[in-house]
Amino acid sequence: MSLSLRVFKYYKYLHKINVMKLIKCCLFFSVIFLTAKVAFGQGQMIEDPTNWKYEVKKKSATEYQLIFHLDLKSPWHIYSMHPGGDGYEIAPSYTFDANPKIKLKGKPTEKGKATTTKMEGIDGKITYLSGKVDYIQDITVTGSTKITGKHEYQVCNDKMCLPPKDKDFTFEIKP
């Protein structure tokens, strides 16, 4: 048998082996990809358990309250603005875009059903709120304006916490 014929048969044989290895490799990585998608995609499949509404409440000719109404589905909770614990809890925060027509009076306050307790895996007692929660920011305004910004928050239940979320907000003041 000539050398070229032997090389051709050998190449045909190697080609079949490589095709089979390629098929097996593709199947293997497909299974790994699908398994990872199912395992790591679970947190993303949970629907956001929060419902936010924004309200402006007039207190006087130049003083207003910006109210962030939060309605949390049971069994979810949100950490207090001063949660305590070991410092790893993400408290809600509010960032207002620069606006020369407004002046913030103090920091936002919270109103709602607060629970202070010891939780497994957290050092110290923590405070969280559930159900309906209001966050209130007092402001002084000089004329009609739009107030914009972002608020960040994280919600948890007794088994897990969802990743922190940022939401844009807009309030319109029309004296």
Side-chain angles (χ1 to χ4, degrees), residues 47-100:
E47 193 175 310
D48 185 4
T50 66
N51 183 24
W52 292 89
K53 292 182 181 171
Y54 308 100
E55 176 189 2
V56 175
K57 190 174 192 180
K58 188 173 184 174
K59 302 290 279 178
S60 71
T62 60
E63 294 183 358
Y64 292 82
Q65 286 184 328
L66 307 178
I67 305 171
F68 301 78
H69 296 288
L70 169 61
D71 191 6
L72 272 166
K73 293 178 185 172
S74 183
W76 296 93
H77 63 265
I78 189 168
Y79 288 114
S80 168
M81 295 183 84
H82 306 284
D86 51 18
Y88 293 106
E89 296 71 34
I90 298 174
S93 62
Y94 298 85
T95 306
F96 293 85
D97 296 334
N99 185 333

Side-chain angles (χ1 to χ4, degrees), residues 91-111:
S93 62
Y94 298 85
T95 306
F96 293 85
D97 296 334
N99 185 333
K101 291 188 174 187
I102 69 162
K103 182 179 178 189
L104 302 177
K105 293 175 65 181
K107 295 182 179 184
T109 59
E110 62 190 9
K111 289 185 181 177

Side-chain angles (χ1 to χ4, degrees), residues 11-173:
Y11 175 75
K12 237 171 112 176
Y13 175 73
L14 279 179
H15 180 70
K16 285 182 182 178
I17 290 175
N18 287 339
V19 169
M20 291 303 290
K21 283 184 179 178
L22 183 63
I23 291 171
K24 287 180 183 178
C25 187
C26 286
L27 285 173
F28 174 75
F29 283 111
S30 295
V31 168
I32 293 296
F33 175 74
L34 290 173
T35 303
K37 187 173 181 179
V38 169
F40 296 113
Q42 293 297 330
Q44 295 175 358
M45 292 174 60
I46 295 175
E47 193 175 310
D48 185 4
T50 66
N51 183 24
W52 292 89
K53 292 182 181 171
Y54 308 100
E55 176 189 2
V56 175
K57 190 174 192 180
K58 188 173 184 174
K59 302 290 279 178
S60 71
T62 60
E63 294 183 358
Y64 292 82
Q65 286 184 328
L66 307 178
I67 305 171
F68 301 78
H69 296 288
L70 169 61
D71 191 6
L72 272 166
K73 293 178 185 172
S74 183
W76 296 93
H77 63 265
I78 189 168
Y79 288 114
S80 168
M81 295 183 84
H82 306 284
D86 51 18
Y88 293 106
E89 296 71 34
I90 298 174
S93 62
Y94 298 85
T95 306
F96 293 85
D97 296 334
N99 185 333
K101 291 188 174 187
I102 69 162
K103 182 179 178 189
L104 302 177
K105 293 175 65 181
K107 295 182 179 184
T109 59
E110 62 190 9
K111 289 185 181 177
K113 180 185 168 195
T115 303
T116 301
T117 188
K118 180 94 174 102
M119 280 189 159
E120 187 177 329
I122 298 176
D123 293 335
K125 289 185 177 184
I126 60 153
T127 302
Y128 62 85
L129 296 104
S130 53
K132 294 184 184 300
V133 183
D134 287 338
Y135 297 96
I136 302 161
Q137 175 66 59
D138 290 320
I139 62 168
T140 303
V141 179
T142 57
S144 296
T145 189
K146 277 190 178 180
I147 301 166
T148 58
K150 289 183 185 273
H151 57 104
E152 181 184 21
Y153 63 95
Q154 180 180 41
V155 293
C156 305
N157 62 22
D158 60 345
K159 294 184 171 104
M160 65 183 274
C161 289
L162 297 180
K165 260 196 161 170
D166 284 332
K167 279 199 190 252
D168 294 328
F169 62 81
T170 301
F171 293 94
E172 195 163 341
I173 306 287

